[in-house]
Amino acid sequence: MSEVTRLPCWSDWKWQQQNSVTTLEELVGAFPGLACSSRLEALRNALDTRRVSLTPYSLGLIQTDAAQRPLEQDPLWAQLIPEFAAPSPFEYDGTTENWELDHEMVTGICQHKYDNRVIVRAANVCHAYCQFCYEALRTLEIRSPKPGLKKSEWQATLDYLEAHPEVEEVILSGGEPLMLSDARLDAMLQSIRAVRPDIVIRLHTRALTFNPFRITQALASTLARHQVTAVGLHVAHPRELTDAFFTAVRALQRAVPLLFANIPFLAGVNNHLQTLRDLCMGLYRGGVTPHYLYQFMPFSPGHSRYAAPASEAISLLRQLKRRISNLAVPEFVIPHVTGKHTLPLELGGPPTRIETDAEGNEAIHFTNWKGQACVFPQ
Ligand code: SF4
């Protein structure tokens, strides 16, 4: 344990936020070996347009070499520090939305993409910035063109919920909704409950990786008081599963009925069997269901750096399915602009299909984990 992690302020989420590293000079201060690194100039250029922010906690997770340079392949460094790699035809252009279609935005912050639920962009900021974010226009752009959480936008969102009883669920997402203060979240949840006492409330967060101290007892009580049903944790690598992460998990488990995890599938971070195994088993052991493994979304930043083939994810998940409980194996989804789509874990061989024979009997034909053709009669 370093001296700084022993300070009482270390586990104060506001202190973590206020002491985040956001400039090149501060990064060099944290990693002195960077000063004589060939990466310095590229980093300076990247920071001109992209938001970068690392809490002292997330800085502490990054491993360094003997010269106090961050290891290039460190999973936290790889996620949080921009790097403009080779151009790709599917690269983000810094201006075009890839996920929030205009006709889905029923208010500036409320997206009605799926039939029975809406996503509310409760904040355009985060504890730290994932350089592959598919909400990049909101989060990574220093001069974000997206509207933020204003009183008028929030009232318009409440009016929409009140007028649309077919909306059965509201998802507070972002950015990072837990960048808001407890008082603000409390007021927002209360106002949702005032217009829609029946609605399911879900919240998505990456705070447990970047600032797990955000999960205070007061926050947990607020979520419980307003009957938040589910919290989705976003996580990418087993090194994020620290003691502090699980302390936060346990606090949430006492307050919220359902905890699950969404995992972005990222080249150089988690496209590896043992890494995915450790991540999924670690979450499952802690009582968090690994729910989705997300394929990289085209036209998000860092395509040539982060996108790994979908066939690789399918192959890894098929192998996982033979090795660990199905409860610990996430569903593989592609975030298509029309909505997420689950891919079957099929590789090679003909796809699963239902066939009817001459007598009218149906049978399911599929390829098993050994690659053998199988028939399941009805
Ligand atoms: S925390 Fe979430 S919203 Fe924020 S940059 Fe990362 S992926 Fe995007």
Side-chain angles (χ1 to χ4, degrees):
M1 194 186 233
S2 77
E3 267 175 40
V4 67
T5 62
R6 281 198 209 100
L7 296 174
C9 55
W10 180 257
S11 50
D12 175 348
W13 71 272
K14 289 182 188 159
W15 180 88
Q16 288 281 341
Q17 205 168 299
Q18 285 154 6
N19 287 277
S20 290
V21 162
T22 58
T23 65
L24 188 63
E25 289 64 35
E26 288 169 337
L27 263 182
V28 173
F31 303 107
L34 266 183
C36 44
S37 161
S38 55
R39 289 182 275 166
L40 200 64
E41 223 24 60
L43 208 48
R44 188 185 304 282
N45 293 336
L47 265 67
D48 280 347
T49 58
R50 291 283 164 79
R51 272 199 194 133
V52 170
S53 180
L54 290 87
T55 54
Y57 172 84
S58 44
L59 272 178
L61 296 179
I62 294 171
Q63 291 180 329
T64 53
D65 62 16
Q68 290 188 281
R69 279 182 305 235
L71 297 183
E72 292 261 3
Q73 70 278 20
D74 181 274
L76 269 296
W77 180 264
Q79 290 179 70
L80 298 179
I81 302 298
E83 181 182 278
F84 293 110
S88 144
F90 303 107
E91 189 52 78
Y92 167 76
D93 68 5
T95 58
T96 314
E97 183 55 73
N98 58 351
W99 182 248
E100 292 178 11
L101 302 181
D102 281 348
H103 69 272
E104 296 168 349
M105 299 308 294
V106 294
T107 75
I109 58 167
C110 182
Q111 183 179 17
H112 198 167
K113 198 174 193 81
Y114 302 98
D115 286 1
N116 85 331
R117 55 204 182 277
V118 295
I119 305 166
V120 173
R121 306 289 170 193
N124 289 354
V125 288
C126 305
H127 294 289
Y129 293 95
C130 315
Q131 299 299 323
F132 48 82
C133 183
Y134 69 61
E135 285 292 324
L137 286 179
R138 278 192 185 278
T139 57
L140 296 187
E141 291 298 327
I142 287 176
R143 284 165 285 277
S144 169
K146 296 285 188 175
L149 177 68
K150 289 195 298 263
K151 217 171 170 186
S152 54
E153 295 291 357
W154 182 245
Q155 189 54 53
T157 300
L158 292 173
D159 293 346
Y160 187 82
L161 291 179
E162 193 168 19
H164 290 270
E166 76 276 15
V167 176
E168 295 177 288
E169 180 173 14
V170 58
I171 302 166
L172 296 182
S173 186
E176 171 59 77
L178 295 186
M179 288 293 278
L180 301 172
S181 69
D182 288 355
R184 192 97 188 262
L185 277 168
D186 188 33
M188 287 168 70
L189 291 168
Q190 197 167 353
S191 59
I192 294 174
R193 281 282 169 245
V195 294
R196 290 292 305 276
D198 60 311
I199 207 162
V200 172
I201 303 177
R202 188 202 317 177
L203 184 143
H204 279 227
T205 179
R206 245 215 124 166
L208 276 75
T209 290
F210 302 141
N211 195 354
F213 313 113
R214 177 65 189 92
I215 314 301
T216 58
Q217 197 44 55
L219 174 70
S221 303
T222 301
L223 301 181
R225 190 164 57 254
H226 298 295
Q227 295 171 303
V228 171
T229 297
V231 172
L233 312 179
H234 292 214
V235 56
H237 191 275
R239 202 119 65 65
E240 298 167 37
L241 307 184
T242 62
D243 289 348
F245 179 99
F246 284 115
T247 300
V249 164
R250 285 190 292 277
L252 285 173
Q253 283 166 334
R254 289 191 287 273
V256 175
L258 187 64
L259 279 196
F260 65 92
N262 285 344
I263 304 164
F265 183 57
L266 300 170
V269 174
N270 60 16
N271 60 332
H272 183 265
L273 184 61
Q274 190 63 40
T275 305
L276 276 183
R277 187 191 197 289
D278 291 349
L279 179 59
C280 292
M281 276 309 293
L283 289 164
Y284 178 52
R285 192 174 283 117
V288 180
T289 307
H291 179 46
Y292 280 158
L293 181 71
Y294 276 101
Q295 177 62 356
F296 186 88
M297 187 171 189
F299 311 111
S300 303
H303 184 270
S304 56
R305 179 185 188 189
Y306 296 116
S311 55
E312 189 179 351
I314 291 171
S315 166
L316 290 169
L317 289 177
R318 281 175 66 100
Q319 293 175 68
L320 270 190
K321 254 178 148 18
R322 297 306 303 178
R323 289 169 166 84
I324 62 177
S325 162
N326 269 335
L327 282 169
V329 179
E331 197 175 314
F332 182 47
V333 290
I334 50 171
H336 189 261
V337 67
T338 57
K340 288 186 284 293
H341 176 77
T342 300
L343 288 193
L345 299 186
E346 294 178 325
L347 258 193
T352 299
R353 65 214 178 277
I354 296 176
E355 289 186 358
T356 308
D357 65 17
E359 280 80 49
N361 303 312
E362 279 189 350
I364 302 168
H365 295 251
F366 69 99
T367 307
N368 75 4
W369 64 281
K370 290 179 178 168
Q372 299 162 330
C374 301
V375 179
F376 186 83
Q378 297 295 290

